[in-house]
Amino acid sequence: MNLNPSIRLKRRISEGSIKGVLFLCAALSIFTTVGIIAVLFFETVEFFKEVSILDFLTDTQWTPLFVDKHFGILPLLSGTFLVAFIAMCVAMPLGVLSAIYLNEYASVRFRTAVKPLLEILAGVPTVVYGYFALLFVTPLLQKIVPGLSGFNALGPGIVMGIMIIPMISSLSEDAMSAVPRDLREGAYALGATRFQVAAKVVVPAALSGIMSSFVLAISRAIGETMIVTIASGQQPRLTINPLVPIETITAYIVQVSLGDTPAGSIEYKTIFAVGMTLFIFTLVLNIFSHWLKERFREEYK
Amino acid sequence: MRAALILRNKRRDRIFKVVALLSAILGLVFLATLVIDLLYDGLGRINWSFLTSFPSRRPERAGILSAIVGTLYIMGLTALFGFPLGVGAGIYLEEYSRRKNWLTRLIEINIANLAGVPSIIYGLLGLGVFVRALNLERSLISGALTLALLVLPIIIIASREALKAIPFTIREASYALGATKWQTIFYQVLPAALPGILTGVILALSRAIGETAPLITIGALTYIAFLPESIFDPFTVLPIQVFNWVSRPQQAFAVNAAAAIIVLLAITLILNSVAIYLRYRFQRRLKW
Amino acid sequence: MVKDLSFTISKLNAWYGDKRVLKDINIEIKTNSVTALIGPSGCGKSTFLRCLNRMNDLIASFRLEGSIMHEDMDIYSSGADPIEIRRRIGMVFQRPNPFPKSIYNNIAYGLRIFGVKDRSTLDSAVEESLKKAALWDEVKDNLNQNAQTLSGGQQQRLCIARAIAVNPEVILFDEPCSALDPVATAKIEDLITEIKEDYTVVIVTHNMQQAARVSEYTGFFMLGELVEFDDTQKIFTAPANELTEKYITGRFG
């Protein structure tokens, strides 16, 4: 009954090697993460051999490309977070309201028509949004807001916010539809309107899930590159004024990459140092968002 | 007293409904405005010479030939790397690692995390590893490898979903005939899951062709007046060409940018439509 | 060289994780006979069946002790090859599970995975198996149609043809008719009675009348134990064990 042992051996070897190759494909994700951390870490360490961490964290000027070099990251951070803040001011309310409408009010037809269209918003290449922010939104805003400079944080912030709406809307919707029907029906039975049910029952119940989507959206906003590179400017400035040119971390990296920066120079190392900063922020935010989502899931097991 | 309260609630409900509806469609209004503005500015500029000329200092002479060719090459190479790696990973995670040991969990966490890393960080990774460490220079292959890593999570997740959708009974029937694991996967499960997998790959590609930041970081140039002849040559892509033109002050370049965007969006639209069509046919064909 | 006994099972115990699902099973299956396994839901008869072709290997938490001899070899010994075992001991499942391919390719698959490439060999194997499964006349004009467009009964007969095509010695049936209507069920029962001349058949069934109709030997399982095993006639007219009698008279199950 025993089959020819050499066939069995050949088969075992081939099945085993196939499994090995497939495993390597899967393990590539680990190598990618290790690669990112290694590349950023290595160059950042080199950077901090020349620049003190204290300067990096406290200097209020960022001028590594000038003759008089300052390496304070605060201006880049303020630019990054200023734009993200404006984007969130747009995206949070509109995202949640959209989600409420789609989940609590809209007919199935409306939902099936509108949802994919909203997804398109999320799929448009960000250069296109940058173009729009610079050449349409900013000029438009300049008619309303006096003193708005050609490069600023307001226009790209608003555009970025609209781009992020589908993310918040769809994740919040998922959270809201996970809220059990009986909670809603109990409220309706007492005579509540849809607004009251939405505002007082569903949203509070889905809050962790909604918050999770906010945190994820912030992470997306601070990591966004092309909109701000095109429309926000290249003037690192420690300010909260949305009407003047600023520079974000991401825009700075682009600026340096476009130039002829020799590898190993201090300018080259700066993009990794700020890149590391950005990576740490988004990592922490992503983890936090995940934790919020897990808490939400636990509540509705 | 009661009646007044009910009336007030109803009115609030109506107002809220309108506000919420407006929120939902604001994005669409924005999108429509964007499209109309683009078409208005750029549609007239698109002609055969625009599509077949190289960029130039003179906006009327400038075209997107090198950008389109670069985009197509990048798309092809990214698919070449991304498809086998992504599908392979998906197969391993779905079919081979049933027992959720710590290594599998680690891989899954990594994939989920990588999906949330900003694309410019991938650019830095590509710069450090492909351009510098592996000495591939600022070439098509560096760009394609970087983008492949970027979209790998999308392909892996789509592959897993497609594989998960194939009922276990198919695998059972195959094993019962004396097939090995790989025979079962390769001859039965994969072919059945292929439409779903392809949908994922196409969506990944449509994301990849719009990516600008990582390619700029690895050194794709913004002004290329030639076509790459090998995968080790420098290149440019449509979104970078758009970026280059948008950054110029002359109005005529803005028109060029709008026209290039229309071409880019058209390609993206075609890709997404193919993906949606595939998904539709996939759902129709299989009546489990 | 046809042996009398197709299977000799001794002291078979099996677990899913910590839960013991088969207790001390001892049984002999005769070659070219039809043996039915009956018992209430969850009694272990399907688990037992799947031990015979090592399909339980696919379940991570499964563990087995004891021996299952098929023609002088313990199929769970370290020298045994599950692939070859499954080719020689085929299985038909509860719900018909044809591949989403053509009728032809469904049947040819089993041969292709063992390296058969020659078109005419495949053609004749397909025709022969479909004839043996009493399906040939219904589908011979369109072997390229998708197998899933067939009716439930036809699909199940296709699955039987598919199992036959690899030339097994044994065919295991795991409640093959539970998803089918009475007409289709009758066709399959006739088929089983016909094919027993060429194959050893073991069939798990919920339907006692079916067991009485098609089988020569019947085993009654309960709570993981083989309560009684004897000629079908005896089991259904004069069972030795009180539990068996209670089950077949419908007191429980």
Side-chain angles (χ1 to χ4, degrees):
Chain A
M1 161 63 137
N2 278 349
L3 188 58
N4 185 348
S6 83
I7 294 186
R8 285 187 53 198
L9 187 63
K10 261 202 310 199
R11 189 200 311 138
R12 205 177 289 180
I13 292 179
S14 65
E15 288 284 309
S17 25
I18 290 175
K19 178 173 178 179
V21 167
L22 294 175
F23 172 73
L24 286 178
C25 293
L28 184 60
S29 68
I30 300 184
F31 294 134
T32 307
T33 303
V34 167
I36 290 177
I37 295 178
V39 167
L40 290 176
F41 186 74
F42 177 69
E43 296 288 348
T44 304
V45 161
E46 292 295 305
F47 174 79
F48 282 124
K49 285 184 184 162
E50 295 185 40
V51 176
S52 84
I53 297 194
L54 194 63
D55 280 345
F56 186 69
L57 295 176
T58 58
D59 196 338
T60 58
Q61 288 187 37
W62 177 263
T63 59
L65 304 173
F66 292 176
V67 174
D68 172 29
K69 296 181 190 298
H70 286 264
F71 295 97
I73 198 176
L74 291 178
L76 289 183
L77 282 180
S78 85
T80 303
F81 282 104
L82 180 59
V83 176
F85 175 74
I86 297 173
M88 292 307 287
C89 286
V90 168
M92 281 194 294
L94 293 178
V96 175
L97 286 174
S98 297
I100 294 179
Y101 187 82
L102 288 171
N103 212 37
E104 309 288 324
Y105 286 88
S107 66
V108 176
R109 266 184 53 196
F110 186 88
R111 213 177 303 152
T112 43
V114 169
K115 280 196 72 167
L117 291 175
L118 280 182
E119 291 307 312
I120 293 181
L121 260 186
V124 172
T126 52
V127 254
V128 181
Y129 284 123
Y131 166 94
F132 201 55
L134 182 71
L135 297 178
F136 187 92
V137 176
T138 292
L140 191 66
L141 287 174
Q142 279 173 328
K143 298 196 179 115
I144 319 174
V145 179
L148 183 67
S149 147
F151 293 111
N152 56 75
L154 187 63
I158 293 177
V159 171
M160 196 191 285
I162 299 188
M163 176 186 81
I164 291 181
I165 289 179
M167 180 189 254
I168 293 186
S169 171
S170 112
L171 289 174
S172 298
E173 231 198 303
D174 288 345
M176 286 194 262
S177 49
V179 173
R181 294 204 59 168
D182 354 353
L183 276 175
R184 282 190 189 79
E185 281 171 8
Y188 283 129
L190 290 171
T193 62
R194 277 190 289 196
F195 166 60
Q196 288 172 320
V197 171
K200 302 232 166 94
V201 176
V202 181
V203 167
L207 202 57
S208 309
I210 296 178
M211 299 271 298
S212 158
S213 79
F214 285 169
V215 174
L216 207 60
I218 297 176
S219 168
R220 177 92 176 75
I222 67 176
E224 170 46 42
T225 311
M226 293 321 288
I227 303 181
V228 285
T229 306
I230 293 176
S232 281
Q234 284 180 357
Q235 298 184 23
R237 183 177 285 165
L238 183 55
T239 176
I240 55 171
N241 182 353
L243 308 180
V244 297
I246 46 100
E247 188 170 47
T248 65
I249 291 180
T250 50
Y252 173 73
I253 300 178
V254 169
Q255 180 188 14
V256 173
S257 303
L258 287 173
D260 277 320
T261 320
S265 66
I266 188 67
E267 294 85 356
Y268 177 78
K269 294 176 198 171
T270 53
I271 61 176
F272 291 92
V274 302
M276 178 61 122
T277 313
L278 177 65
F279 180 69
I280 293 176
F281 269 113
T282 54
L283 189 66
V284 168
L285 285 169
N286 289 351
I287 293 176
F288 183 43
S289 162
H290 183 78
W291 177 80
L292 280 171
K293 201 165 94 157
E294 284 304 302
R295 251 194 42 173
F296 175 64
R297 209 192 305 221
E298 279 304 316
E299 286 168 24
Y300 287 106
K301 266 289 174 56
Chain B
M1 184 47 204
R2 189 81 197 277
L5 204 67
I6 294 180
L7 217 59
R8 185 195 72 174
N9 284 342
K10 280 209 173 135
R11 196 176 49 225
R12 279 207 189 148
D13 187 54
R14 266 200 300 270
I15 296 176
F16 182 77
K17 180 174 174 173
V18 170
V19 168
L21 174 60
L22 287 178
S23 309
I25 58 180
L26 180 84
L28 302 181
V29 168
F30 179 82
L31 195 60
T33 316
L34 175 64
V35 171
I36 294 174
D37 179 56
L38 278 172
L39 291 175
Y40 183 72
D41 285 338
L43 195 57
R45 179 71 183 85
I46 300 182
N47 52 35
W48 187 246
S49 99
F50 181 71
L51 295 173
T52 55
S53 309
F54 288 116
S56 150
R57 305 249 178 254
R58 312 261 283 279
E60 335 65 72
R61 296 240 202 95
I64 53 175
L65 182 62
S66 42
I68 289 189
V69 169
T71 293
L72 292 175
Y73 275 144
I74 276 283
M75 217 165 64
L77 283 174
T78 304
L80 189 68
F81 293 122
F83 180 78
L85 292 174
V87 177
I91 292 178
Y92 180 80
L93 291 170
E94 267 316 297
E95 306 285 330
Y96 283 86
S97 67
R98 282 280 138 197
R99 257 164 287 178
K100 292 285 175 121
N101 55 13
W102 65 272
L103 190 55
T104 308
R105 274 305 290 156
L106 185 65
I107 294 178
E108 288 180 339
I109 292 176
N110 258 294
I111 293 174
N113 188 47
L114 285 172
V117 170
S119 58
I120 198 162
I121 303 281
Y122 281 94
L124 291 175
L125 170 68
L127 182 61
V129 172
F130 301 127
V131 177
R132 290 268 124 79
L134 296 183
N135 257 320
L136 295 171
E137 305 286 326
R138 29 168 70 178
S139 59
L140 271 174
I141 189 170
S142 292
L145 288 170
T146 307
L147 286 185
L149 287 182
L150 175 68
V151 300
L152 214 51
I154 302 179
I155 300 181
I156 294 178
I157 292 172
S159 301
R160 290 191 72 176
E161 290 301 307
L163 291 167
K164 233 192 278 250
I166 310 295
F168 189 70
T169 53
I170 297 295
R171 298 174 181 82
E172 250 186 342
S174 175
Y175 287 128
L177 289 169
T180 65
K181 186 164 202 148
W182 178 245
Q183 282 173 327
T184 302
I185 293 174
F186 189 72
Y187 292 111
Q188 295 297 343
V189 182
L190 256 187
L194 206 56
I197 293 177
L198 282 180
T199 304
V201 173
I202 292 175
L203 286 175
L205 285 181
S206 97
R207 160 89 193 270
I209 68 173
E211 284 293 336
T212 324
L215 294 179
I216 293 182
T217 314
I218 61 121
L221 302 169
T222 62
Y223 189 88
I224 293 242
F226 56 85
L227 295 180
E229 299 193 355
S230 84
I231 59 175
F232 297 103
D233 284 343
F235 67 103
T236 188
V237 289
L238 270 173
I240 292 185
Q241 187 63 75
V242 169
F243 170 65
N244 174 278
W245 282 335
V246 159
S247 313
R248 312 247 187 125
Q250 298 94 324
Q251 168 66 11
F253 277 121
V255 171
N256 284 0
I261 290 178
I262 294 176
V263 175
L264 176 62
L265 289 180
I267 299 180
T268 312
L269 192 66
I270 293 175
L271 279 178
N272 279 33
S273 308
V274 172
I276 292 176
Y277 172 70
L278 266 182
R279 186 182 284 161
Y280 170 67
R281 278 217 36 203
F282 176 52
Q283 276 167 348
R284 239 172 33 116
R285 190 162 67 97
L286 300 174
K287 349 166 195 155
W288 303 116
Chain C
M1 191 178 67
V2 179
K3 300 275 183 93
D4 276 341
L5 292 177
S6 184
F7 285 100
T8 309
I9 294 117
S10 346
K11 299 216 191 83
L12 179 65
N13 285 278
W15 292 260
Y16 283 130
D18 288 330
K19 185 170 156 218
R20 177 137 80 143
V21 289
L22 291 175
K23 300 187 174 96
D24 285 330
I25 312 283
N26 295 287
I27 193 173
E28 285 171 352
I29 312 275
K30 287 209 171 56
T31 315
N32 290 352
S33 71
V34 180
T35 305
L37 305 175
I38 60 174
S41 293
C43 64
K45 51 194 198 290
S46 278
T47 308
F48 172 76
L49 194 73
R50 282 161 182 259
C51 289
L52 298 181
N53 65 349
R54 296 191 59 167
M55 282 300 278
N56 281 327
D57 290 8
L58 300 176
I59 299 173
S61 61
F62 181 79
R63 197 167 57 88
L64 176 151
E65 270 171 26
S67 86
I68 300 185
M69 305 293 294
H70 173 63
E71 302 200 354
D72 290 344
M73 187 180 123
D74 183 349
I75 63 176
Y76 280 88
S77 69
S78 54
D81 179 18
I83 304 292
E84 182 65 12
I85 286 168
R86 294 190 194 124
R87 190 191 68 71
R88 299 168 73 157
I89 304 174
M91 186 170 240
V92 175
F93 296 86
Q94 194 167 342
R95 302 193 67 87
N97 55 5
F99 302 123
K101 294 180 189 281
S102 68
I103 295 177
Y104 185 96
N105 283 327
N106 259 276
I107 300 180
Y109 176 70
L111 294 156
R112 286 195 177 115
I113 56 178
F114 284 99
V116 177
K117 291 194 183 106
D118 176 47
R119 186 73 192 197
S120 55
T121 318
L122 292 172
D123 283 350
S124 56
V126 168
E127 183 175 334
E128 222 189 283
S129 349
L130 284 171
K131 280 186 177 154
K132 281 196 191 161
L135 189 59
W136 175 250
D137 288 323
E138 287 165 62
V139 299
K140 65 177 185 246
D141 292 322
N142 194 356
L143 294 176
N144 281 326
Q145 65 177 307
N146 190 312
Q148 293 177 328
T149 58
L150 298 175
S151 75
Q154 288 173 319
Q155 286 187 14
Q156 195 64 305
R157 276 179 282 148
L158 175 62
C159 292
I160 296 175
R162 181 175 66 184
I164 287 176
V166 295
N167 216 8
E169 290 143 18
V170 181
I171 305 184
L172 308 173
F173 289 85
D174 190 355
E175 301 195 40
C177 302
S178 54
L180 302 178
D181 64 73
V183 174
T185 301
K187 283 202 181 130
I188 298 215
E189 287 180 11
D190 290 340
L191 191 53
I192 291 178
T193 319
E194 267 173 48
I195 64 176
K196 78 158 188 237
E197 302 188 18
D198 299 321
Y199 311 99
T200 305
V201 173
V202 183
I203 172 170
V204 161
T205 178
H206 252 132
N207 183 333
M208 283 185 282
Q209 290 78 18
Q210 179 174 88
R213 279 193 294 268
V214 302
S215 69
E216 288 136 44
Y217 305 97
T218 299
F220 170 59
F221 278 77
M222 202 172 111
L223 294 177
E225 290 183 47
L226 178 62
V227 174
E228 192 174 338
F229 179 76
D230 211 328
D231 291 357
T232 302
Q233 272 282 49
K234 261 207 81 199
I235 294 272
F236 281 100
T237 54
N241 191 303
E242 194 189 323
L243 284 171
T244 317
E245 206 228 320
K246 284 214 176 101
Y247 180 70
I248 59 179
T249 54
R251 303 272 178 82
F252 64 85

